[in-house]
Amino acid sequence: MSESPQPYRVLARKYRPQSFGELIGQDAMVRTLGNAIRRGRLAHAFLLTGVRGVGKTSTARIMAKALNCVGPDGQGGPTIDPCGVCEYCTSIMEGRNVDVIEMDAASHTGVDDMRSIIDISRNTGFGARFQVFIIDEVHMLSKNAFNALLKTLEEPPENTKFLLATTEVNKVPVTVLSRCQRFDLRRISAEQLAAHFAEVVQKEGVTVEPEALALIARAAEGSARDGLSILDQAIAHGAEGVTAEQVRGMLGLSDRGAVRRLLALLLAGDAQGALAAVKEQHNLGVEPSAIVRGLLESVHGITRAKVGGGDDPAQSAEEREAYAEWASRLGHAALHRLWQLLLKGLNEVNSAAMPMEAAEMALLRIVHASDMPDPGTLMEKLMSGEAVPARASASAAAPPPEPQTAMLALPATFEALVRALQGNGKALLAQQLHDYAGVVRYAPPALEIRPAKPLPGDFQRDLTAALKSVTGAQWTVAISDAPSEPTLLEQEKMAAEANRQKILDHPIVSAAREVFPGAELIDYPGKERRSA
């Protein structure tokens, strides 16, 4: 009688790291843990934070093995390199060790669940060196559950360790954070993920184009688990092998050649051609947001080519050649303006009830702005008395003031929101938003930001209250680590630098600098002023 075939295991489970050596991109954490184990300076509680799929739970299980491993001969002690063959290593790996208890806080949020853990921790273990409690998504615990855990977390029974994992560390009470040794697991770089996926497909005996692996690594956004899931789907999608074209179609990414053609139409000011190209992509199943993201990637690629950035493995030779040609013709100011217009358009597409129409309007705005002079050029023309076309002068006019009746119209932009706070006695909050908050999503009355530096613990609460006070609307304020726009301060610095570079690139200035090599640009329009 033939043996029944083994059930298929998805790649994310099959290639889950079983040792610290198999963890990707977490060298600093592994080094710190290794030193702590060798010196016998192990904390009683650890908090592992990071984005989804970066290896928090896997790290906790490996730590449980490292603490309890006895080696092949049964005489070993805690080690950074667990043997993987002793009874404790194998039982922990298979999830059947009674001294290593895993709990998902998302489904066990109550105080009774914490009391059961406390009761178990007070009992003597069943033989392992350390009794280990792994609590995943710990931020989901209720307030009472956290309070029940606090005392035990601070003074746990001897030989008891707590390993807490969370994707939202800002929701964990400070009283818990202060009792844990914290490790922030880093996002895994696209290059490391692509190399890891190449090893996986080699072991699986599957042919995958390097460009396809680079696209999957980029789509994973730093998550090994997400990337392996996408790779699994791509392998199932391709019959003879996986190509970059198949991955683009599977992920709904816009064809790079089509994106370059669309960008050329936008820069040429061809509104009808641009709308036709967008419609063609949409008919092929490409989402409007994917079209705008593709344009953003192209502008980013051109800018990197202009400043001499390294090659992106996800770019083809034709793409790099096109970017280099564009970089030679477009100035820094034009590229920064394109980036800001597209970024604003992407936010509008993501929050609009009609995404396709929002994408078309955003691209038409770019077409309209393609032949507009930048503010520096416009100022030079005005100061020299040169005639300015009505269209250009209209675009340079100051935006209309924000409506005073908040309930009728909320601030249309994030900048307007900061000005409203500044003008209503909320200067500190306005400054914090201006200097340290990058906008992830602005859809009044919803605001999602990514802090450029740690903000006060009560910032989210105070900002929500201030926004309600100033606008009269109930706002939802979210703090995340998702990709964001540059902060307003960073945008101002970029604009000032672009203006400075434009002046330096002027033929007269360039000639003067060649004659006087030591000359410096002391003052120029838009330069930041600092009080003495």
Side-chain angles (χ1 to χ4, degrees), residues 37-38 40 42 63-83 86 88-89 129-130:
I37 290 175
R38 281 189 289 271
L42 286 167
M63 288 176 66
K65 289 195 297 183
L67 294 173
N68 288 307
C69 177
V70 296
D73 59 359
Q75 303 300 315
T79 173
I80 194 66
D81 297 310
C83 67
C86 70
Y88 294 107
C89 283
R129 185 181 297 112
F130 290 99

Side-chain angles (χ1 to χ4, degrees), residues 132-398:
V132 180
F133 294 91
I134 301 174
I135 305 179
D136 202 6
E137 300 298 345
V138 70
H139 66 274
M140 299 289 287
L141 291 178
S142 66
K143 181 179 179 179
N144 289 337
F146 273 124
N147 290 335
L149 182 63
L150 280 178
K151 187 63 177 177
T152 303
L153 198 61
E154 183 173 23
E155 298 178 2
E158 188 177 358
N159 297 335
T160 297
K161 304 292 182 185
F162 286 91
L163 305 178
L164 315 179
T166 179
T167 54
E168 300 184 50
V169 69
N170 58 299
K171 294 184 179 180
V172 179
V174 176
T175 49
V176 173
L177 295 176
S178 65
R179 290 164 169 81
C180 299
Q181 191 172 101
R182 174 173 167 176
F183 289 100
D184 291 84
L185 276 68
R186 299 180 178 181
R187 286 178 182 269
I188 308 170
S189 70
E191 291 76 15
Q192 289 175 310
L193 285 175
H196 177 57
F197 298 157
E199 295 177 2
V200 169
V201 297
Q202 184 178 9
K203 293 176 183 178
E204 293 292 309
V206 180
T207 302
V208 183
E209 290 182 355
E211 185 180 349
L213 291 176
L215 289 171
I216 293 171
R218 179 184 291 174
E221 297 183 345
S223 169
R225 184 179 64 228
D226 286 7
L228 287 172
S229 297
I230 297 172
L231 179 60
D232 226 339
Q233 182 181 354
I235 293 174
H237 186 75
E240 303 298 329
V242 180
T243 65
E245 183 179 356
Q246 289 171 337
V247 171
R248 289 187 186 283
M250 183 188 75
L251 296 177
L253 298 176
S254 186
D255 174 65
R256 291 292 182 94
V259 169
R260 294 198 299 274
R261 290 190 293 273
L262 174 58
L263 182 58
L265 291 169
L266 293 174
L267 293 176
D270 186 349
Q272 292 184 351
L275 291 179
V278 171
K279 183 177 180 181
E280 179 183 357
Q281 286 292 295
H282 191 248
N283 290 341
L284 291 174
V286 181
E287 292 296 325
S289 60
I291 297 174
V292 181
R293 282 198 303 270
L295 290 168
L296 278 167
E297 289 180 5
S298 293
V299 173
H300 178 257
I302 296 169
T303 307
R304 282 180 59 88
K306 190 168 186 67
V307 300
D311 290 339
D312 186 339
Q315 294 176 1
S316 63
E318 295 81 2
E319 197 168 13
R320 285 193 287 270
E321 183 179 344
Y323 287 171
E325 197 275 330
W326 263 320
S328 67
R329 293 193 290 112
L330 294 173
H332 288 286
L335 288 170
H336 287 310
R337 181 169 55 178
L338 261 177
W339 177 264
Q340 292 299 327
L341 288 170
L342 286 168
L343 205 58
K344 178 177 175 60
L346 181 61
N347 287 335
E348 293 173 354
V349 171
N350 288 335
S351 61
M354 299 183 292
M356 184 60 182
E357 287 76 3
E360 290 181 344
M361 293 300 292
L363 297 185
L364 287 175
R365 187 162 58 232
I366 293 174
V367 169
H368 179 77
S370 62
D371 58 353
M372 295 294 102
D374 60 80
T377 302
L378 188 60
M379 181 177 292
E380 290 176 7
K381 289 185 177 182
L382 291 172
M383 293 178 66
S384 65
E386 184 179 345
V388 180
R391 183 180 173 190
S393 59
S395 68

